[in-house]
Amino acid sequence: MEERGSPDGDPARSLEQGPEGPETPIQVVLRVRPMSAAELRRGEQSVLHCSGTRTLQVSPPGGGPDVAFRFAAVLDGARTQEDVFRACGVRRLGELALRGFSCTIFTFGQTGSGKTYTLTGPPPQGEGVPVPPSLAGIMQRTFSWLFDRVQHLGAPVTLRASYLEIYNEQVRDLLSLGSPRPLPVRWNKTRGFYVEQLRVVEFGSLEALMELLQLGLSRRRSSAHTLNQASSRSHALLTLYIDCKTAQKMPPVGPGEPPVGGKLCFVDLAGSEKVAATGSRGDLMLEANSINRSLLALGHCISLLLDPQRKQSHIPFRDSKLTKLLADSLGGRGVTLMVACVSPSAQCLPETLSTLRYASRAQRVTTRPQAPKSPVAKQPQHLETDMLQLQEENHRLQFQLDQMERKASGLSGTQMAWAQRNLYGMLQEFMLENERLRKEKSQLQSSRDLAQNEQRVLAQQVHELERRLSACHHHQQGPGPAPPCPCLMAPAPSCHALPPLCSCPWRHLCPLCRAPLAHWACPWRERHLQQVLGPEAPGSRPLSARPPPWAPPCSPGSAKCPRERSHSDWTQTRVLAEMLTEEEVVPSAPPLPAEAPNTSPVLKGGAGVQNLAQRLEALREQIGSSLRRGRSQPPHSEGARSPGQVLPPC
Ligand code: ADP
Ligand code: MG
């Protein structure tokens, strides 16, 4: 014995509960039609046996092992239409539809298994002849219940209906004013799949709705068939649209539960058939193939919906019009009930087993029932809990967001503008400061080059003076006629800048141009100096008149100070000194603070330059005194002195 698809729990309870959670399985009820008169005449025995209220046992002819199937409810041939209506929990579906859910009830099974009978009762016995109330199917019973429910509500509820069939893969409007014509099936994000231009008829009474049903049934395609004298050759969908105007006046499902509008859809599928077995030809075969194709697509979608890994991926609902229009019922947000119908005949066993397997799988398909959002719509308990948690989280996040926004708005008001202005101002200041420093650096580099040139000249002069002084001493000490002055033997590049070294007659000749000089007033003196020092040479002023460039600053109030140095001058001088000693000066360093007047900064290398200037002055004095002594005393009487003894130490 084999059991398949057996949901736990009491079938009545599960059916009456409706949507239980995010994942709600399709409810499947099995109905076994009674043996027909023809089957009884043939002496056939039923191969299906109900075991309890939920299990069906299949006893294959020839003594094979029994096979058992479990469903939400199993109803044998002895059950009345009213039993079926109650067991299927259709009233609960109606209540859910009134609360806004999209509910679907569809019958499924082999041709002649009782699908149409279950939904609408036996076929009409004649034009305008109504179905006896005792034989009325699920649809009529639901209509009656619904009107009774709405009347007791005391609230305005708008009821509308549409009725269509899918015949040979064409959608036809069974309620159209003219002759039915094919209608397109469209899709959009809000509505999902829908039939364009489908007539939706508003009705206000049970009689009006019954007339609409009769109109549709009479228009529906059916043919005489070997298995069914009035075999439906199309899938038919009748939909009730339940629109509750005022949420406060909705019919309460439970205590204090106001429902909102929804849909209630009844689907009577055309039966599958084995064309070879039924011997269908011509239009019948074409219809059968079309029916089978759409049922195959439906089965394929159900198979894919059963696969938890593929359920989230693509489901080929677009493969047929039927699957398009059942998409929401099968895998969407609807609440779905399937009534699987089977024949007890042994001749139909293969089809019956196929239907049973199919239905077993279908009851494992789940949907996510969801009603249209309403501020007062009551959600199931767990959804309500989730919603409360989410609302709480939302409030918390909103609170945090408000706090952040307040902080941000506080800043953006005054502080942000100030900060932005300040930053921008600082940036501008830094740019200006950089530009100023760049210029200052360039000036300092020029000054440095100038000073280096001057230093070189001074060093040469000192060297030359020392050389000449030494030669003059030697000349004054030597006997006999005076030899030519050694200062003329070697070219002295800056001779014009130098004072006379001795009293010999050659001392008044310029060593460069050999012009006789009177008091060193050489007419090309400036030009010669420029040749030696360059155009910017500081030779325009006598050396004695020029202050030593790297001397420490004198005190601002001192009489000896040629001019009072400004702070920037001093900074420049300091930087220059550092450059000369190849010390790095940070360009962006702030200006030096004002130094105390008597505190001179220590200049690296400055002492050497100062020594050079001092040495030069000492040499001048030494030469002058030497000359004076030379004029007043014989040369041989003057004691020899080394330059090192005269010159100050470097
Ligand atoms: P289907 O729609 O599955 O092709 P039908 O609903 O048209 O089959 O039923 C086929 C025949 O069987 C009809 O004549 C119908 O009256 C009859 N029938 C089906 N189910 C029952 C039932 N439970 N009790 C009595 N007759 C039934
Ligand atoms: Mg039918």
Side-chain angles (χ1 to χ4, degrees), residues 115-116 220 228 230-232 268-269:
K115 301 181 293 294
T116 304
R220 190 179 173 192
N228 188 353
S231 177
S232 315
D268 182 14
L269 294 179

Side-chain angles (χ1 to χ4, degrees), residues 252-294:
V253 174
E257 294 181 13
V260 292
K263 277 197 312 185
L264 198 51
C265 183
F266 302 89
V267 183
D268 182 14
L269 294 179
S272 61
E273 67 174 76
K274 287 185 176 174
V275 176
T278 56
S280 296
R281 296 283 183 274
D283 286 348
L284 279 179
M285 190 175 73
L286 187 68
E287 291 164 359
N289 286 335
S290 177
I291 292 164
N292 287 343
R293 209 166 30 247
S294 60

Side-chain angles (χ1 to χ4, degrees), residues 462-478 485-487 501-502 619 622-623 626 639-644 646-647:
V462 169
H463 178 71
E464 183 63 20
L465 283 170
E466 286 175 347
R467 190 178 64 80
R468 288 187 189 186
L469 185 62
S470 168
C472 283
H473 278 293
H474 179 73
H475 174 67
Q476 286 172 0
Q477 289 170 359
C485 179
C487 67
L501 295 176
C502 62
L619 278 170
Q622 191 178 349
I623 289 166
S626 178
R641 283 184 296 180
S642 68
V646 176
L647 297 172

Side-chain angles (χ1 to χ4, degrees), residues 9 18 37 146 173 186 189 204 250 268 328 416 500 507 554 588 594 616 650:
L146 181 64
D173 189 349
R186 309 274 188 215
K189 202 172 182 179
M250 295 301 147
D268 182 14
D328 204 39
M416 191 70 87
R507 71 182 189 269
C554 53
S588 59
L616 187 61
C650 293

Side-chain angles (χ1 to χ4, degrees), residues 486-546:
C487 67
L488 300 176
M489 301 304 288
S494 57
C495 61
H496 281 70
L498 299 176
L501 295 176
C502 62
S503 58
C504 66
W506 299 282
R507 71 182 189 269
H508 297 303
L509 287 177
C510 173
L512 284 178
C513 59
R514 302 298 176 191
L517 303 175
H519 306 292
W520 292 103
C522 176
W524 298 286
R525 176 187 173 92
E526 298 301 321
R527 194 194 307 169
H528 292 162
L529 272 176
Q530 282 183 6
Q531 286 175 0
V532 175
L533 302 177
E536 298 293 328
S540 55
R541 282 195 292 164
L543 272 178
S544 56
R546 279 180 272 145

